[in-house]
Amino acid sequence: SDVILVYCYPKTIITRIPECPYGWEVNQLALGGICYNGIHDSGYYQFTIPDLSPKNKSYCGTQSEFKNPVYHFYNSIVSNDTSIIVKSQPVNYSFTCSYNANYLVNQAAFDQRVATVHVKNGSSGSFESQLSLNFYYNAKFSSIKEAPFVVETSEIGSDIFAGVEAKGLSDRFKVVLNNCWATPSSEYFYQIHWPLITKGCASDSSILVHENGKTSRATFQFNAFRFQNIPKLSKVWLHCETHVCDSEKFSCPV
């Protein structure tokens, strides 16, 4: 049967089709009609796109498209025999991998998810990058601080260092912080909130944005505080609305 298995990872796409479709051998099938890089593995022919960053415009004909807020990657596995006559039915297995460019994170991480999709006549899958909101010890942002942590009353006003980092993505994608805010509750849109970053910029002069839209990590610092009229022994939750920007297609906001 024409069942395609598509594994969508943040950096890599792997596609598997049943062996000998309509009599074709693996060396007669090409990824994107260009690359004869299939391997025979456990009853399947497997083709791999090792890096979503284009090489020579695209890797083996892989096309990418951005329809806000989703990135799509397209390719196909096609029969491409150079002999004069062909006795096998032509095959064309098209497949797609997509992911959402916008994430809402709070002191948590999105687990990397791998979608395996079984459909006929074309296949599509989706993946999510692993994004985490971390706290750091200083402005070097080299070592992560375990959270939640206690800020003593005497330390109110001291520097807090925070950042959002994407793991596993191709280098072409940059992390952009659109909005970050704090609440006394784990709810994203709690009625009591304090803005830290608004439309990519610091909300006031006490907040310093170190890096935004340049790499796979965006970092900033602010002063420790507590919410008025909230019990002194309370948690402050940090939330960030994050965008993953394709620097090869767009001028990512810095």
Side-chain angles (χ1 to χ4, degrees):
S1 61
D2 291 338
V3 177
I4 314 169
L5 278 60
V6 180
Y7 303 83
C8 301
Y9 298 93
K11 270 189 176 179
T12 306
I13 297 172
I14 297 174
T15 306
R16 290 162 66 87
I17 63 174
E19 62 184 348
C20 300
Y22 302 106
W24 295 95
E25 298 294 336
V26 68
N27 59 3
Q28 297 175 305
L29 300 176
L31 180 61
I34 301 169
C35 302
Y36 294 84
N37 59 355
I39 61 170
H40 199 175
D41 180 57
S42 305
Y44 287 90
Y45 293 163
Q46 178 172 302
F47 294 81
T48 301
I49 299 169
D51 189 346
L52 296 179
S53 290
K55 297 169 184 174
N56 301 324
K57 294 188 177 178
S58 66
Y59 182 87
C60 296
T62 305
Q63 300 297 315
S64 60
E65 180 183 32
F66 180 61
K67 291 183 177 179
N68 197 12
V70 178
Y71 286 107
H72 301 280
F73 293 88
Y74 305 95
N75 209 329
S76 59
I77 299 162
V78 299
S79 53
N80 195 1
D81 196 356
T82 55
S83 57
I84 295 175
I85 63 166
V86 177
K87 295 182 179 178
S88 301
Q89 179 179 331
V91 296
N92 185 332
Y93 295 90
S94 60
F95 58 92
T96 305
C97 278
S98 307
Y99 75 86
N100 200 313
N102 295 328
Y103 297 90
L104 193 55
V105 293
N106 68 356
Q107 196 162 274
F110 284 83
D111 290 330
Q112 181 174 307
R113 295 173 191 169
V114 179
T116 304
V117 186
H118 304 252
V119 295
K120 292 188 176 183
N121 301 321
S123 186
S124 61
S126 63
F127 54 71
E128 292 183 1
S129 167
Q130 184 177 4
L131 268 77
S132 57
L133 173 54
N134 303 316
F135 296 99
Y136 301 84
Y137 283 94
N138 52 44
K140 290 183 179 178
F141 298 97
S142 55
S143 51
I144 295 175
K145 196 173 186 178
E146 193 166 336
F149 49 88
V150 176
V151 175
E152 302 290 351
T153 305
S154 60
E155 295 174 330
I156 294 291
S158 63
D159 288 327
I160 301 289
F161 303 92
V164 174
E165 184 172 3
K167 291 183 179 178
L169 280 181
S170 173
D171 291 340
R172 72 192 263 187
F173 296 104
K174 314 300 180 185
V175 169
V176 180
L177 298 179
N178 291 334
N179 299 288
C180 292
W181 65 98
T183 65
S185 162
S186 61
E187 296 175 34
Y188 289 116
F189 302 112
Y190 194 69
Q191 58 191 13
I192 301 171
H193 66 277
W194 184 255
L196 297 167
I197 293 176
T198 305
K199 294 183 179 177
C201 296
S203 298
D204 65 54
S205 59
S206 70
I207 299 157
L208 180 60
V209 178
H210 286 262
E211 205 168 43
N212 198 12
K214 290 183 178 179
T215 66
S216 61
R217 184 176 70 176
T219 54
F220 63 101
Q221 73 182 75
F222 60 95
N223 300 134
F225 61 89
R226 71 179 182 87
F227 284 96
Q228 197 85 270
N229 301 323
I230 301 287
K232 289 185 179 179
L233 292 174
S234 61
K235 285 184 181 176
V236 172
W237 289 78
L238 189 61
H239 314 269
C240 283
E241 185 184 39
T242 307
H243 178 74
V244 180
C245 176
D246 185 349
S247 63
E248 293 187 2
K249 285 184 173 286
F250 305 100
S251 175
C252 299
V254 176

